[in-house]
Amino acid sequence: MKYNIKQFLITIMCLLALFLLCYFINLQNSTNTISLSSVLDEEVQQTVLEPKELFLETWSLIKTNYWDNDLNEQNWNRWKRRYVKEIKTENDAYVAINTMLASLNDPYSRFLNPNEFVEQNNSIDSKIYGIGINIASVSGKIYIINVIKGAPADIAGLKPADMILKINGNDIKGDSIFETANYIKDAKSGLVDIVVLRNNVKINKKIKRAEIKVKTVESEIIDKEIGYIRISSFISSETPVEFIDALNKVQDTQALILDLRGNTGGLFQNAVFIANMFLEKGDIVRVIGRGGYDSFYTAENKEYVYEKPLVVLVDGESASASEIVSAALKDNKRAIIVGTKTYGKGVVQKVYNMPNNTGMNLTIARYLTPNGIDINKKGIEPDYRVEITDDDYKNNNDAQLNFAKNILQDEIERSKIAGVH
């Protein structure tokens, strides 16, 4: 019987909303600040301040809400003394704010100008401007692992397993997937000049970026008895709905592979939601806020829990929300983790609406796995380490997926034998 998606989601999301509300109220009270409603946030964003006032507003927000009371062991007043009399223009304010944030040595806390803030909100709404490819890094080389059907890259003829050599004249050898993505994002006039290698032949394409409505969850049935669900990102507000739909499509299989490779994270509540789907009980994640405020997120009572054998695929780009899910399932011995060590992002950001239509992502907490492990800058070790080589990519051989299938096929056979007896 299929799950009642609407009713189920309302129940679970209400529980998550209550969880998050309680957490942030306690966190804000512990730091003597006020939690603003979304309506007030919108009013704040539309407020127009002089450049100097925008700087001071940002300075104060960081000082009051950043997770580390010591602000990376520095006297925060020094930034006010350094800049407050020097700021004349909007660009002056941006430079001062970005320099101030850089002093935290925290790559995840960043100021967003109006264009960047709109772009981030579009991602949450599952709308992106790009060419429609997912990429992965293997031994310093960037490969296309998926092309979104109907997207500009698909129309131009790019294919999975193409190795990217250049973007807009930039040699990307040794670059990360984040740097590579930025070349596409920063393409002048939205035209992406890309060179790929396919079967030892260089192919040059000029592709116009476009708005792409992205589904973050895909599913299929492989080998008849094994379901496969891939979550490409946790950033979309639609991810929970898409995940329930995907689970419906594979519900008649005997086991499941959850693929989080290349998933660099997204919304915290989406990670808690997905992990909760697989756990009848137990902790999902432990969040430690400013001043040592400590909160556990645990599996909630619900009508449905997926209880069949489960393998989770991860790699070096699996980060943040992906790691929350992977760690929760690993520590609760609910899934077998296959692949390579994850990225290692163990901190949580809150998105703040700021005056002048700007915004800021600010680290407000760090998290530990259910077993109390801090994975920040360390990552999660898989239960079975399986590498994908250059030859695997060239031959379109997914060694990690094949390993996962073998594990689950053995589990299915054991279950059948146990059933006979």
Side-chain angles (χ1 to χ4, degrees):
M1 182 177 69
K2 289 192 174 183
Y3 325 123
N4 185 322
I5 296 177
K6 184 175 181 181
Q7 182 179 359
F8 183 81
L9 280 176
I10 289 173
T11 301
I12 296 300
M13 294 309 282
C14 282
L15 288 169
L16 285 178
L18 180 60
F19 242 154
L20 292 168
L21 179 63
C22 290
Y23 169 68
F24 283 115
I25 286 176
N26 286 326
L27 178 60
Q28 300 293 350
N29 286 343
S30 72
T31 56
N32 299 314
T33 61
I34 300 172
S35 179
L36 299 177
S37 70
S38 59
V39 174
L40 289 176
D41 279 345
E42 290 178 7
E43 291 178 355
V44 167
Q45 191 187 21
Q46 293 169 7
T47 301
V48 178
L49 295 181
E50 292 296 321
K52 182 189 299 183
E53 296 304 316
L54 177 62
F55 167 78
L56 290 173
E57 182 87 2
T58 309
W59 177 90
S60 178
L61 192 150
I62 297 168
K63 183 176 186 293
T64 308
N65 293 281
Y66 189 65
W67 77 275
D68 176 10
N69 284 327
D70 294 331
L71 297 153
N72 196 26
E73 299 181 345
Q74 61 181 312
N75 182 346
W76 201 241
N77 290 321
R78 74 187 181 105
W79 296 110
K80 186 189 289 188
R81 291 194 297 269
R82 176 174 174 179
Y83 283 117
V84 74
K85 294 181 180 179
E86 304 297 326
I87 296 172
K88 308 297 182 185
T89 67
E90 191 172 71
N91 189 61
D92 290 342
Y94 291 173
V95 170
I97 291 168
N98 286 323
T99 303
M100 183 168 61
L101 280 167
S103 75
L104 296 172
N105 194 27
D106 176 359
Y108 311 114
S109 291
R110 55 189 293 257
F111 180 76
L112 304 168
N113 65 36
N115 289 334
E116 292 168 335
F117 196 56
V118 167
E119 184 177 329
Q120 178 168 280
N121 288 336
N122 283 339
S123 296
I124 294 173
D125 293 334
S126 298
K127 293 186 295 185
I128 63 169
Y129 289 86
I131 61 175
I133 58 174
N134 295 115
I135 57 179
S137 177
V138 180
S139 302
K141 300 173 184 177
I142 303 294
Y143 288 89
I144 296 174
I145 58 173
N146 183 52
V147 180
I148 297 172
K149 188 174 181 180
D154 181 39
I155 295 171
L158 294 184
K159 299 181 182 297
D162 286 349
M163 185 174 76
I164 302 176
L165 301 178
K166 291 184 177 181
I167 297 177
N168 303 325
N170 298 292
D171 187 339
I172 63 155
K173 184 177 180 180
D175 286 348
S176 69
I177 61 171
F178 305 103
E179 292 167 323
T180 303
N182 280 334
Y183 286 136
I184 296 174
K185 183 181 71 174
D186 296 338
K188 293 180 179 179
S189 303
L191 189 65
V192 180
D193 187 347
I194 186 168
V195 179
V196 301
L197 186 68
R198 184 189 303 161
N199 299 325
N200 294 320
V201 176
K202 291 183 180 180
I203 300 171
N204 185 210
K205 299 284 185 180
K206 289 182 172 60
I207 306 171
K208 185 75 173 178
R209 285 188 321 192
E211 181 180 315
I212 303 167
K213 181 69 177 178
V214 180
K215 283 194 67 173
T216 60
V217 185
E218 299 174 353
S219 66
E220 62 178 299
I221 296 174
I222 54 180
D223 293 356
K224 296 182 180 180
E225 294 183 306
I226 299 175
Y228 171 87
I229 295 178
R230 180 175 182 271
I231 305 178
S232 59
S233 172
F234 286 95
I235 192 64
S236 171
S237 58
E238 296 296 316
T239 298
V241 177
E242 292 178 10
F243 183 76
I244 295 295
D245 183 55
L247 209 53
N248 274 326
K249 291 177 180 177
V250 301
Q251 65 177 324
D252 293 330
T253 57
Q254 301 304 308
L256 179 66
I257 295 171
L258 179 62
D259 192 346
L260 300 181
R261 294 175 297 180
N263 184 328
T264 56
L267 302 180
F268 177 84
Q269 58 265 37
N270 285 349
V272 175
F273 177 89
I274 300 300
N276 195 48
M277 290 293 298
F278 297 103
L279 296 172
E280 185 175 352
K281 60 182 180 179
D283 292 328
I284 294 174
V285 64
R286 177 184 174 189
V287 179
I288 302 174
R290 184 182 175 104
Y293 175 76
D294 206 338
S295 177
F296 283 90
Y297 290 76
T298 59
E300 291 295 304
N301 292 327
K302 49 198 172 293
E303 295 179 5
Y304 174 78
V305 177
Y306 185 90
E307 297 178 327
K308 297 174 183 177
L310 174 67
V311 170
V312 178
L313 296 178
V314 297
D315 63 10
E317 274 77 48
S318 302
S320 189
S322 296
E323 292 174 296
I324 289 175
V325 173
S326 303
L329 300 180
K330 180 180 182 181
D331 284 6
N332 283 285
K333 302 188 185 304
R334 176 59 193 89
I336 297 171
I337 313 299
V338 171
T340 56
K341 187 170 71 171
T342 62
Y343 181 80
K345 180 179 181 288
V347 288
V348 180
Q349 286 71 48
K350 181 177 178 180
V351 180
Y352 287 91
N353 288 4
M354 301 291 294
N356 299 13
N357 292 309
T358 62
M360 183 166 58
N361 298 340
L362 186 68
T363 300
I364 60 165
R366 62 191 179 96
Y367 73 81
L368 306 179
T369 75
N371 286 346
I373 300 171
D374 183 354
I375 61 97
N376 197 47
K377 299 181 180 180
K378 301 172 186 175
I380 300 167
E381 289 287 352
D383 296 306
Y384 293 96
R385 185 177 183 85
V386 180
E387 302 273 359
I388 292 184
T389 65
D390 286 347
D391 286 340
D392 286 330
Y393 271 104
K394 291 175 183 176
N395 298 320
N396 200 25
N397 175 49
D398 192 334
Q400 294 166 340
L401 180 63
N402 291 335
F403 193 93
K405 287 195 294 186
N406 290 336
I407 289 176
L408 292 178
Q409 283 165 346
D410 289 343
E411 288 280 342
I412 291 170
E413 288 304 314
R414 280 195 290 269
S415 297
K416 288 178 179 178
I417 293 171
V420 170
H421 293 292

